[in-house]
Amino acid sequence: MRLPSARHFGHFLLFCIATALTFADDQLDLAAVFRRAEQLNASVLTSRETAVQAHGNADAQRVALLPNVSLKAQQQRAETLTVTKTTTTQNPAAGRFDGQLNGSVSLLNLQQISAYRSAQRGADAAEADADFTLQTTLAGAGNFYFTQLRNQARDVVLEANVVRAQDLLRTARNYLTAGVIVTQIDVTRAEAALAQRTGAGSTDARIVVDQ
C-alpha cells in the first residue's frame, strides 16, 4: 500500500486549517468540501500539472515518429516583346507553375521508439500519481469533515451536561437554604459533578482535536 509523502501531508494540513477557519462561518456540506479539496489543494494541483506536462512530453516524443511531409510550390509569369527595325510585337504572356511534394518517414528508429514508450509510461505514471493524490486528499477531507461534525455534536452534548449540572447545583443550594432535607454534602457533590462535567468537556474536546 502506498503512503502519502510528507509534502502531500503538509499541503493537506494547510488545506484542513484553511477549511476549519471557514467551517464555523460557512456551514459546508461534504460535496463542497470535496470541491474545495479538488480545486484548492496544492498537492492535487501540482500532481495534475505534472501529469499534463508528462503528456506533453510524450506527445513531443511521438512527433518524431510521424511522417515528415513538405510541399514546395512556385509560379512564374513572363511576358516578352519582339522588337524589329520597323515594328514592336508584344508576345502573349506565358505562365508556369512548379510544385514539389516531399515526404519521409523513419521506419525503424529504435532509439526514438524507446524514448516515446518511456515518455508514455512516464505520462501514465504521472496520471496514476495524480489520481492517487486526489483520492488521498478526498479521503482526508472527508475524514476531517466528519470529525468537525462530531466535534460540533459533542460540544452540544457537553454544554447540555454542564447546564444540567449547574441546575442540579442550584437546586441543591436552594433546598439547603430553604431548610429541605439536603446537607452540605449534597451541595458538595453537585459542585463536584459540575466541575467534573466542565473538566470532561475540555478533555474530550482536546482528544477530538488530537485525533
Side-chain angles (χ1 to χ4, degrees), residues 133-150:
T133 302
L134 176 60
Q135 296 303 322
T136 301
T137 302
L138 293 181
N143 183 54
F144 174 77
Y145 174 79
F146 288 112
T147 300
Q148 287 294 102
L149 292 183
R150 183 182 64 180

Side-chain angles (χ1 to χ4, degrees), residues 148-161 201 204-205 208:
Q148 287 294 102
L149 292 183
R150 183 182 64 180
N151 289 350
Q152 291 181 349
R154 181 168 293 186
D155 288 342
V156 174
V157 174
L158 294 177
E159 290 177 0
N161 290 336
D204 291 342
V208 171

Side-chain angles (χ1 to χ4, degrees), residues 10-193:
H11 290 164
F12 174 70
L13 181 60
L14 293 176
F15 166 75
C16 289
I17 294 175
T19 305
L21 293 177
T22 58
F23 193 88
D25 297 334
D26 185 12
Q27 187 67 32
L28 302 176
D29 56 5
L30 185 59
V33 172
F34 282 167
R35 285 194 300 271
R36 286 196 175 190
E38 187 174 358
Q39 297 173 1
L40 302 179
N41 184 266
S43 296
V44 175
L45 298 178
T46 301
S47 61
R48 188 178 298 165
E49 181 62 26
T50 302
V52 172
Q53 293 179 0
H55 281 291
N57 182 40
D59 293 338
Q61 295 294 337
R62 181 173 178 268
V63 169
L65 299 176
L66 298 177
N68 186 13
V69 180
S70 63
L71 175 62
K72 182 179 180 181
Q74 182 179 7
Q75 183 177 5
Q76 296 179 350
R77 184 176 180 85
E79 186 175 348
T80 61
L81 295 175
T82 302
V83 179
T84 63
K85 293 182 179 181
T86 58
T87 62
T88 300
T89 305
Q90 182 177 3
N91 299 321
R96 177 180 176 180
F97 176 82
D98 297 326
Q100 183 179 5
L101 179 64
N102 297 322
S104 63
V105 60
S106 179
L107 296 178
L108 188 60
N109 190 334
L110 298 180
Q111 182 178 1
Q112 191 61 43
I113 293 175
S114 177
Y116 168 66
R117 290 180 177 176
S118 178
Q120 187 61 43
R121 291 191 184 97
D124 295 339
E127 190 71 29
D129 182 74
D131 292 339
F132 171 79
T133 302
L134 176 60
Q135 296 303 322
T136 301
T137 302
L138 293 181
N143 183 54
F144 174 77
Y145 174 79
F146 288 112
T147 300
Q148 287 294 102
L149 292 183
R150 183 182 64 180
N151 289 350
Q152 291 181 349
R154 181 168 293 186
D155 288 342
V156 174
V157 174
L158 294 177
E159 290 177 0
N161 290 336
V162 171
V163 171
R164 183 178 62 180
Q166 290 175 345
D167 292 339
L168 292 177
L169 176 60
R170 188 180 303 107
T171 301
R173 286 176 176 175
N174 292 336
Y175 282 171
L176 181 63
T177 303
V180 183
I181 306 177
V182 174
T183 63
Q184 184 63 37
I185 296 178
D186 297 325
V187 176
T188 303
R189 288 176 180 174
E191 292 176 347

